[in-house]
Amino acid sequence: VSTQSTWGELLLTQKNSMQEHLEILGKEPEFFSGDDSVGVRRPGSVEEDLGMRSGGLRYMTGVISTAQLGLFERLVYRVTRGNMFMRTAPAQNQFEDPATGNKIDKTVFVIFVSAQRAHDKIKKVCESLLATLYPYNIDNREEVQKMHIHVRDNLADLENTIAGTESVRDKILMKIKENVYQWKKTVVIEKSVYNILNFLSFKGQTVVAVAECWVPKNDVGRVEDALHEAERSSGAQVQSFLEAIETRDKPPTYFKTNKFTASHQGIVDSYGIARYKEVNPACFSVITFPFLFGVMYGDIGHGLMITILAAIFIWKEKKMLATPLNEIIALVFGGRYILIIMGIYAIYMGFLYNDLFSLMVSFGEPYWIFPKDYADAKANCDDGYLVWYGANASNVRACKKQNGSPYLFGIDSAWAETENKLEFMNGLKMKMAVILGVIQMTVGLILQCFNHVHFKDTKHIICGFIPEVVFLLCTFGYMCIMIIIKWCINWPQRMLNNLSPPSLLETMTNFFLTPGSVKDDRYLYGSASSQNGLQTFLLLVAFAMVPILLIPIPVIEYRHHKHASYGQLQHEDETNEEDPGHKDEKAAGNEEEPFDMSEVVIKQVIHTIEFVLGCVSNTASYLRLWALSLAHAELSEVFWSFAMMKTLYMDTGFGFMAFIGWGAWGGATVGVLGVMEALSAFLHALRLHWVEFQTKFYYGDGSQFVPFDIDKLIPSPHESSTDE
């Protein structure tokens, strides 16, 4: 193939040379005469007619690249000091570069000079700029015609030769193409096997190969079967065996995944590989990640868009796996199983918010009504509301339906007609975000306890997990309980007793800054005194957890190290008396890291401060669930109001403005809400899991188990053809 390519370049060079010569021989005689009407080009200030007669003048003809023509003219003018005459004309055909295959424009030129020295200088300029000179007899037209015929015939023969050469080369390449994939596969397998063999150690006179590797316990039997099969197929005389050995190295982490869980595990692994046998966050993020996305992106229509897109990817999965995809499409396709759950949860939360492209839909009889007058209110409103309004009962604007039942599911559709809809949804979503955040952080602390139990770390259970969970539940857990209690109270009935609903934000602020300041007319449960007493007690318990979290662990670690060092020294003394060489062996071994009490104290102080402040900052961070959900709903409503409704009002009956508005609304819905908002909600859900949830229990400092798999190293036939 290399020889064929070299010959092809040589033949193409000869073809270009003959074509260039034909360009010169094919010019009309007037091109070489003194007729100025044929496009004379004079560089510099050469303006006078120097005469175009060949008698007594030296001339040369050739071809140069059009890109080099300007430089060529200036150099010729300078080396001859203007004592020359040049005429140029563009070549009729383009030429193929033998090295790159690109098309090149060239120009035919003729130069007349009087002195031999100038003639020699111009030839050197032509050589430096890769201009090619060809013979041309100006005084003998018959000789020019014979040369033209001769060069043309040679060019035709050369083109036939090139065509035959290309045909032979194509046949050779087609034969090679059939074997290229197999050759690449063989080379990759051989290289990978020899690379693994380099990790083996060889011992004994019979050169026994010893390989130390990690094997999942469930796959030990498969490895033994593979060794026996290798012995049988290769006819080995030495038996291979597998033996478990003791090691102080930390085992790598290996999680078996399928096409559904692989993407979730990949998100967790992007944060850090799990420590061996610690709790895997992916088991929980399979549900919690798309759920939090749905909380922020809750809309029936928008969730349906994502679900349909993911369903199409799953439906066309086999076809798309065998097809090269765009980088962005491949990224979305890889997360198709995450997308479909995200879309389902977005639809679920859309039903809960009663939100369909910013419109509320009625799924049942509303629980709230808006009476037209007092008679309507008296006939249809709940009696408790009429008593609550009292003297102003004639001005009832909204009330619960008499003998009515709560709305079937989600937000009552009656809220669509209220002036305070935004205020209501704002308070509801904010409280939901706080409750979900505290629940997820509490689950994270419980998973931390599971880790400590598995690793038998009692001190961190007693002096770490217990004070942390008590502190969290006594502060923000108590706030979540107050939110639920406030939701369950019949406030119109309580307001008849001059008890106003308290502000939870004000209550929690006073909980930390001025404990015991609950007013008699704004308590939430029991009485003002009982609520003050309970809140003061919870605050004292929470503050008492800080020293428990801060002090015992460094003290326990110091005492443990002191006892361990004393026991080790006593053991070494006994061993050295029995074996004097043991001391030298110990010195030659690996030394453990020295214990630094100050480092342990600083680490625990940082952890305590981080946890206490993190309870506040992490809880506030979960408010992004409220903020993004509210922004998504309001943005969707803005697009509907301004893009659809306004254009419908502007339409004159022909439907043109309605069509324009529908297009604008559809483009904004897909581009902004379907893509940008979805990506924003995805990233925020990712942050909540990485920072607020996983930091409570997940170390993420392990190493991943990467088994030797030849099938993953072998390039696919498609990749092989792409490389060609």
Side-chain angles (χ1 to χ4, degrees), residues 661-689:
W662 182 87
W665 175 79
T669 299
V670 174
V672 178
L673 299 176
V675 178
M676 296 177 63
E677 279 284 310
L679 180 60
S680 175
F682 178 89
L683 294 176
H684 282 285
L686 187 65
R687 182 241 150 78
L688 289 176
H689 278 77

PDB file of all heavy atoms in Angstrom, residues 661-689:
ATOM      1  N   GLY A 661     -48.208  33.499  18.278  1.00  0.00           N
ATOM      2  CA  GLY A 661     -48.127  33.343  19.726  1.00  0.00           C
ATOM      3  C   GLY A 661     -47.882  31.905  20.136  1.00  0.00           C
ATOM      4  O   GLY A 661     -47.102  31.642  21.056  1.00  0.00           O
ATOM      5  N   TRP A 662     -48.551  30.965  19.424  1.00  0.00           N
ATOM      6  CA  TRP A 662     -48.335  29.555  19.745  1.00  0.00           C
ATOM      7  C   TRP A 662     -46.886  29.153  19.483  1.00  0.00           C
ATOM      8  O   TRP A 662     -46.291  28.411  20.265  1.00  0.00           O
ATOM      9  CB  TRP A 662     -49.285  28.695  18.919  1.00  0.00           C
ATOM     10  CG  TRP A 662     -49.166  27.234  19.236  1.00  0.00           C
ATOM     11  CD1 TRP A 662     -49.824  26.545  20.206  1.00  0.00           C
ATOM     12  CD2 TRP A 662     -48.316  26.292  18.577  1.00  0.00           C
ATOM     13  NE1 TRP A 662     -49.444  25.221  20.198  1.00  0.00           N
ATOM     14  CE2 TRP A 662     -48.512  25.036  19.209  1.00  0.00           C
ATOM     15  CE3 TRP A 662     -47.418  26.384  17.515  1.00  0.00           C
ATOM     16  CZ2 TRP A 662     -47.845  23.894  18.810  1.00  0.00           C
ATOM     17  CZ3 TRP A 662     -46.738  25.240  17.112  1.00  0.00           C
ATOM     18  CH2 TRP A 662     -46.954  24.012  17.759  1.00  0.00           C
ATOM     19  N   GLY A 663     -46.321  29.640  18.382  1.00  0.00           N
ATOM     20  CA  GLY A 663     -44.921  29.326  18.082  1.00  0.00           C
ATOM     21  C   GLY A 663     -43.970  29.893  19.129  1.00  0.00           C
ATOM     22  O   GLY A 663     -43.020  29.222  19.551  1.00  0.00           O
ATOM     23  N   ALA A 664     -44.236  31.152  19.542  1.00  0.00           N
ATOM     24  CA  ALA A 664     -43.376  31.762  20.558  1.00  0.00           C
ATOM     25  C   ALA A 664     -43.496  31.029  21.887  1.00  0.00           C
ATOM     26  O   ALA A 664     -42.485  30.774  22.565  1.00  0.00           O
ATOM     27  CB  ALA A 664     -43.750  33.235  20.734  1.00  0.00           C
ATOM     28  N   TRP A 665     -44.725  30.668  22.253  1.00  0.00           N
ATOM     29  CA  TRP A 665     -44.914  29.934  23.508  1.00  0.00           C
ATOM     30  C   TRP A 665     -44.269  28.550  23.451  1.00  0.00           C
ATOM     31  O   TRP A 665     -43.624  28.115  24.397  1.00  0.00           O
ATOM     32  CB  TRP A 665     -46.414  29.804  23.796  1.00  0.00           C
ATOM     33  CG  TRP A 665     -46.711  28.958  24.990  1.00  0.00           C
ATOM     34  CD1 TRP A 665     -46.632  29.319  26.295  1.00  0.00           C
ATOM     35  CD2 TRP A 665     -47.127  27.583  24.975  1.00  0.00           C
ATOM     36  NE1 TRP A 665     -46.969  28.266  27.112  1.00  0.00           N
ATOM     37  CE2 TRP A 665     -47.277  27.179  26.329  1.00  0.00           C
ATOM     38  CE3 TRP A 665     -47.381  26.661  23.962  1.00  0.00           C
ATOM     39  CZ2 TRP A 665     -47.679  25.896  26.665  1.00  0.00           C
ATOM     40  CZ3 TRP A 665     -47.774  25.386  24.308  1.00  0.00           C
ATOM     41  CH2 TRP A 665     -47.920  25.009  25.639  1.00  0.00           C
ATOM     42  N   GLY A 666     -44.440  27.862  22.327  1.00  0.00           N
ATOM     43  CA  GLY A 666     -43.836  26.538  22.192  1.00  0.00           C
ATOM     44  C   GLY A 666     -42.320  26.590  22.218  1.00  0.00           C
ATOM     45  O   GLY A 666     -41.669  25.761  22.876  1.00  0.00           O
ATOM     46  N   GLY A 667     -41.733  27.584  21.523  1.00  0.00           N
ATOM     47  CA  GLY A 667     -40.274  27.708  21.535  1.00  0.00           C
ATOM     48  C   GLY A 667     -39.743  28.024  22.919  1.00  0.00           C
ATOM     49  O   GLY A 667     -38.730  27.455  23.353  1.00  0.00           O
ATOM     50  N   ALA A 668     -40.422  28.946  23.630  1.00  0.00           N
ATOM     51  CA  ALA A 668     -39.979  29.287  24.990  1.00  0.00           C
ATOM     52  C   ALA A 668     -40.162  28.113  25.945  1.00  0.00           C
ATOM     53  O   ALA A 668     -39.319  27.871  26.818  1.00  0.00           O
ATOM     54  CB  ALA A 668     -40.750  30.503  25.496  1.00  0.00           C
ATOM     55  N   THR A 669     -41.260  27.361  25.773  1.00  0.00           N
ATOM     56  CA  THR A 669     -41.507  26.214  26.650  1.00  0.00           C
ATOM     57  C   THR A 669     -40.443  25.149  26.472  1.00  0.00           C
ATOM     58  O   THR A 669     -39.906  24.613  27.448  1.00  0.00           O
ATOM     59  CB  THR A 669     -42.900  25.624  26.366  1.00  0.00           C
ATOM     60  OG1 THR A 669     -43.892  26.625  26.619  1.00  0.00           O
ATOM     61  CG2 THR A 669     -43.161  24.416  27.240  1.00  0.00           C
ATOM     62  N   VAL A 670     -40.115  24.829  25.218  1.00  0.00           N
ATOM     63  CA  VAL A 670     -39.124  23.782  24.961  1.00  0.00           C
ATOM     64  C   VAL A 670     -37.713  24.273  25.298  1.00  0.00           C
ATOM     65  O   VAL A 670     -36.946  23.590  25.984  1.00  0.00           O
ATOM     66  CB  VAL A 670     -39.199  23.314  23.491  1.00  0.00           C
ATOM     67  CG1 VAL A 670     -38.070  22.342  23.182  1.00  0.00           C
ATOM     68  CG2 VAL A 670     -40.544  22.672  23.212  1.00  0.00           C
ATOM     69  N   GLY A 671     -37.371  25.469  24.810  1.00  0.00           N
ATOM     70  CA  GLY A 671     -35.999  25.954  24.972  1.00  0.00           C
ATOM     71  C   GLY A 671     -35.658  26.365  26.395  1.00  0.00           C
ATOM     72  O   GLY A 671     -34.606  25.980  26.928  1.00  0.00           O
ATOM     73  N   VAL A 672     -36.546  27.131  27.014  1.00  0.00           N
ATOM     74  CA  VAL A 672     -36.249  27.674  28.345  1.00  0.00           C
ATOM     75  C   VAL A 672     -36.686  26.706  29.447  1.00  0.00           C
ATOM     76  O   VAL A 672     -35.888  26.305  30.301  1.00  0.00           O
ATOM     77  CB  VAL A 672     -36.924  29.046  28.531  1.00  0.00           C
ATOM     78  CG1 VAL A 672     -36.654  29.588  29.925  1.00  0.00           C
ATOM     79  CG2 VAL A 672     -36.429  30.025  27.479  1.00  0.00           C
ATOM     80  N   LEU A 673     -37.967  26.321  29.417  1.00  0.00           N
ATOM     81  CA  LEU A 673     -38.481  25.467  30.489  1.00  0.00           C
ATOM     82  C   LEU A 673     -38.106  24.006  30.297  1.00  0.00           C
ATOM     83  O   LEU A 673     -37.847  23.289  31.260  1.00  0.00           O
ATOM     84  CB  LEU A 673     -40.004  25.601  30.562  1.00  0.00           C
ATOM     85  CG  LEU A 673     -40.522  27.011  30.872  1.00  0.00           C
ATOM     86  CD1 LEU A 673     -42.035  27.038  30.822  1.00  0.00           C
ATOM     87  CD2 LEU A 673     -40.035  27.471  32.233  1.00  0.00           C
ATOM     88  N   GLY A 674     -38.080  23.540  29.050  1.00  0.00           N
ATOM     89  CA  GLY A 674     -37.791  22.140  28.801  1.00  0.00           C
ATOM     90  C   GLY A 674     -36.321  21.795  28.871  1.00  0.00           C
ATOM     91  O   GLY A 674     -35.962  20.670  29.205  1.00  0.00           O
ATOM     92  N   VAL A 675     -35.452  22.749  28.546  1.00  0.00           N
ATOM     93  CA  VAL A 675     -34.008  22.469  28.510  1.00  0.00           C
ATOM     94  C   VAL A 675     -33.283  23.181  29.650  1.00  0.00           C
ATOM     95  O   VAL A 675     -32.683  22.551  30.527  1.00  0.00           O
ATOM     96  CB  VAL A 675     -33.408  22.882  27.146  1.00  0.00           C
ATOM     97  CG1 VAL A 675     -31.899  22.638  27.141  1.00  0.00           C
ATOM     98  CG2 VAL A 675     -34.065  22.102  26.012  1.00  0.00           C
ATOM     99  N   MET A 676     -33.344  24.509  29.673  1.00  0.00           N
ATOM    100  CA  MET A 676     -32.565  25.275  30.645  1.00  0.00           C
ATOM    101  C   MET A 676     -33.057  25.045  32.074  1.00  0.00           C
ATOM    102  O   MET A 676     -32.252  24.832  32.989  1.00  0.00           O
ATOM    103  CB  MET A 676     -32.618  26.759  30.286  1.00  0.00           C
ATOM    104  CG  MET A 676     -31.960  27.089  28.942  1.00  0.00           C
ATOM    105  SD  MET A 676     -32.110  28.831  28.503  1.00  0.00           S
ATOM    106  CE  MET A 676     -31.192  29.583  29.838  1.00  0.00           C
ATOM    107  N   GLU A 677     -34.373  25.093  32.276  1.00  0.00           N
ATOM    108  CA  GLU A 677     -34.904  24.884  33.621  1.00  0.00           C
ATOM    109  C   GLU A 677     -34.670  23.452  34.097  1.00  0.00           C
ATOM    110  O   GLU A 677     -34.380  23.216  35.276  1.00  0.00           O
ATOM    111  CB  GLU A 677     -36.403  25.199  33.632  1.00  0.00           C
ATOM    112  CG  GLU A 677     -36.716  26.672  33.733  1.00  0.00           C
ATOM    113  CD  GLU A 677     -36.513  27.205  35.141  1.00  0.00           C
ATOM    114  OE1 GLU A 677     -37.026  26.613  36.095  1.00  0.00           O
ATOM    115  OE2 GLU A 677     -35.818  28.221  35.283  1.00  0.00           O
ATOM    116  N   ALA A 678     -34.798  22.493  33.171  1.00  0.00           N
ATOM    117  CA  ALA A 678     -34.542  21.096  33.545  1.00  0.00           C
ATOM    118  C   ALA A 678     -33.084  20.901  33.935  1.00  0.00           C
ATOM    119  O   ALA A 678     -32.772  20.212  34.914  1.00  0.00           O
ATOM    120  CB  ALA A 678     -34.914  20.170  32.388  1.00  0.00           C
ATOM    121  N   LEU A 679     -32.180  21.512  33.179  1.00  0.00           N
ATOM    122  CA  LEU A 679     -30.760  21.405  33.514  1.00  0.00           C
ATOM    123  C   LEU A 679     -30.467  22.078  34.849  1.00  0.00           C
ATOM    124  O   LEU A 679     -29.690  21.555  35.663  1.00  0.00           O
ATOM    125  CB  LEU A 679     -29.925  22.044  32.402  1.00  0.00           C
ATOM    126  CG  LEU A 679     -28.399  22.018  32.589  1.00  0.00           C
ATOM    127  CD1 LEU A 679     -27.896  20.585  32.691  1.00  0.00           C
ATOM    128  CD2 LEU A 679     -27.709  22.746  31.448  1.00  0.00           C
ATOM    129  N   SER A 680     -31.092  23.220  35.099  1.00  0.00           N
ATOM    130  CA  SER A 680     -30.887  23.912  36.373  1.00  0.00           C
ATOM    131  C   SER A 680     -31.387  23.067  37.542  1.00  0.00           C
ATOM    132  O   SER A 680     -30.693  22.910  38.556  1.00  0.00           O
ATOM    133  CB  SER A 680     -31.612  25.258  36.353  1.00  0.00           C
ATOM    134  OG  SER A 680     -31.529  25.897  37.606  1.00  0.00           O
ATOM    135  N   ALA A 681     -32.583  22.491  37.410  1.00  0.00           N
ATOM    136  CA  ALA A 681     -33.121  21.646  38.481  1.00  0.00           C
ATOM    137  C   ALA A 681     -32.253  20.408  38.681  1.00  0.00           C
ATOM    138  O   ALA A 681     -32.050  19.959  39.817  1.00  0.00           O
ATOM    139  CB  ALA A 681     -34.559  21.243  38.146  1.00  0.00           C
ATOM    140  N   PHE A 682     -31.732  19.846  37.600  1.00  0.00           N
ATOM    141  CA  PHE A 682     -30.848  18.675  37.701  1.00  0.00           C
ATOM    142  C   PHE A 682     -29.600  19.016  38.505  1.00  0.00           C
ATOM    143  O   PHE A 682     -29.186  18.268  39.396  1.00  0.00           O
ATOM    144  CB  PHE A 682     -30.479  18.209  36.295  1.00  0.00           C
ATOM    145  CG  PHE A 682     -29.533  17.038  36.264  1.00  0.00           C
ATOM    146  CD1 PHE A 682     -30.014  15.744  36.267  1.00  0.00           C
ATOM    147  CD2 PHE A 682     -28.163  17.230  36.244  1.00  0.00           C
ATOM    148  CE1 PHE A 682     -29.146  14.660  36.247  1.00  0.00           C
ATOM    149  CE2 PHE A 682     -27.289  16.168  36.223  1.00  0.00           C
ATOM    150  CZ  PHE A 682     -27.788  14.876  36.220  1.00  0.00           C
ATOM    151  N   LEU A 683     -28.984  20.150  38.202  1.00  0.00           N
ATOM    152  CA  LEU A 683     -27.752  20.536  38.895  1.00  0.00           C
ATOM    153  C   LEU A 683     -28.012  20.841  40.372  1.00  0.00           C
ATOM    154  O   LEU A 683     -27.193  20.511  41.238  1.00  0.00           O
ATOM    155  CB  LEU A 683     -27.125  21.745  38.200  1.00  0.00           C
ATOM    156  CG  LEU A 683     -26.605  21.500  36.770  1.00  0.00           C
ATOM    157  CD1 LEU A 683     -26.099  22.788  36.159  1.00  0.00           C
ATOM    158  CD2 LEU A 683     -25.516  20.439  36.767  1.00  0.00           C
ATOM    159  N   HIS A 684     -29.133  21.467  40.675  1.00  0.00           N
ATOM    160  CA  HIS A 684     -29.445  21.767  42.072  1.00  0.00           C
ATOM    161  C   HIS A 684     -29.746  20.482  42.855  1.00  0.00           C
ATOM    162  O   HIS A 684     -29.345  20.357  44.027  1.00  0.00           O
ATOM    163  CB  HIS A 684     -30.628  22.725  42.157  1.00  0.00           C
ATOM    164  CG  HIS A 684     -30.266  24.152  41.860  1.00  0.00           C
ATOM    165  ND1 HIS A 684     -29.585  24.936  42.756  1.00  0.00           N
ATOM    166  CD2 HIS A 684     -30.466  24.928  40.771  1.00  0.00           C
ATOM    167  CE1 HIS A 684     -29.395  26.148  42.236  1.00  0.00           C
ATOM    168  NE2 HIS A 684     -29.921  26.159  41.034  1.00  0.00           N
ATOM    169  N   ALA A 685     -30.443  19.538  42.231  1.00  0.00           N
ATOM    170  CA  ALA A 685     -30.675  18.243  42.890  1.00  0.00           C
ATOM    171  C   ALA A 685     -29.351  17.519  43.113  1.00  0.00           C
ATOM    172  O   ALA A 685     -29.151  16.862  44.142  1.00  0.00           O
ATOM    173  CB  ALA A 685     -31.623  17.388  42.049  1.00  0.00           C
ATOM    174  N   LEU A 686     -28.452  17.652  42.167  1.00  0.00           N
ATOM    175  CA  LEU A 686     -27.129  17.033  42.305  1.00  0.00           C
ATOM    176  C   LEU A 686     -26.373  17.645  43.474  1.00  0.00           C
ATOM    177  O   LEU A 686     -25.739  16.943  44.268  1.00  0.00           O
ATOM    178  CB  LEU A 686     -26.343  17.223  41.004  1.00  0.00           C
ATOM    179  CG  LEU A 686     -25.003  16.512  40.889  1.00  0.00           C
ATOM    180  CD1 LEU A 686     -25.197  15.007  40.896  1.00  0.00           C
ATOM    181  CD2 LEU A 686     -24.277  16.937  39.615  1.00  0.00           C
ATOM    182  N   ARG A 687     -26.433  18.956  43.613  1.00  0.00           N
ATOM    183  CA  ARG A 687     -25.741  19.629  44.713  1.00  0.00           C
ATOM    184  C   ARG A 687     -26.320  19.212  46.070  1.00  0.00           C
ATOM    185  O   ARG A 687     -25.586  18.990  47.041  1.00  0.00           O
ATOM    186  CB  ARG A 687     -25.845  21.143  44.544  1.00  0.00           C
ATOM    187  CG  ARG A 687     -25.086  21.902  45.646  1.00  0.00           C
ATOM    188  CD  ARG A 687     -25.998  22.756  46.456  1.00  0.00           C
ATOM    189  NE  ARG A 687     -25.597  22.944  47.818  1.00  0.00           N
ATOM    190  CZ  ARG A 687     -24.650  23.758  48.282  1.00  0.00           C
ATOM    191  NH1 ARG A 687     -23.922  24.453  47.455  1.00  0.00           N
ATOM    192  NH2 ARG A 687     -24.412  23.865  49.567  1.00  0.00           N
ATOM    193  N   LEU A 688     -27.660  19.106  46.149  1.00  0.00           N
ATOM    194  CA  LEU A 688     -28.283  18.703  47.410  1.00  0.00           C
ATOM    195  C   LEU A 688     -27.837  17.309  47.831  1.00  0.00           C
ATOM    196  O   LEU A 688     -27.670  17.042  49.026  1.00  0.00           O
ATOM    197  CB  LEU A 688     -29.806  18.742  47.271  1.00  0.00           C
ATOM    198  CG  LEU A 688     -30.443  20.137  47.180  1.00  0.00           C
ATOM    199  CD1 LEU A 688     -31.937  20.025  46.947  1.00  0.00           C
ATOM    200  CD2 LEU A 688     -30.158  20.945  48.439  1.00  0.00           C
ATOM    201  N   HIS A 689     -27.635  16.429  46.890  1.00  0.00           N
ATOM    202  CA  HIS A 689     -27.190  15.081  47.237  1.00  0.00           C
ATOM    203  C   HIS A 689     -25.713  15.051  47.591  1.00  0.00           C
ATOM    204  O   HIS A 689     -25.313  14.364  48.532  1.00  0.00           O
ATOM    205  CB  HIS A 689     -27.487  14.123  46.078  1.00  0.00           C
ATOM    206  CG  HIS A 689     -28.897  13.633  46.060  1.00  0.00           C
ATOM    207  ND1 HIS A 689     -29.941  14.412  45.617  1.00  0.00           N
ATOM    208  CD2 HIS A 689     -29.444  12.453  46.457  1.00  0.00           C
ATOM    209  CE1 HIS A 689     -31.063  13.731  45.737  1.00  0.00           C
ATOM    210  NE2 HIS A 689     -30.794  12.538  46.238  1.00  0.00           N
TER     211      HIS A 689
END
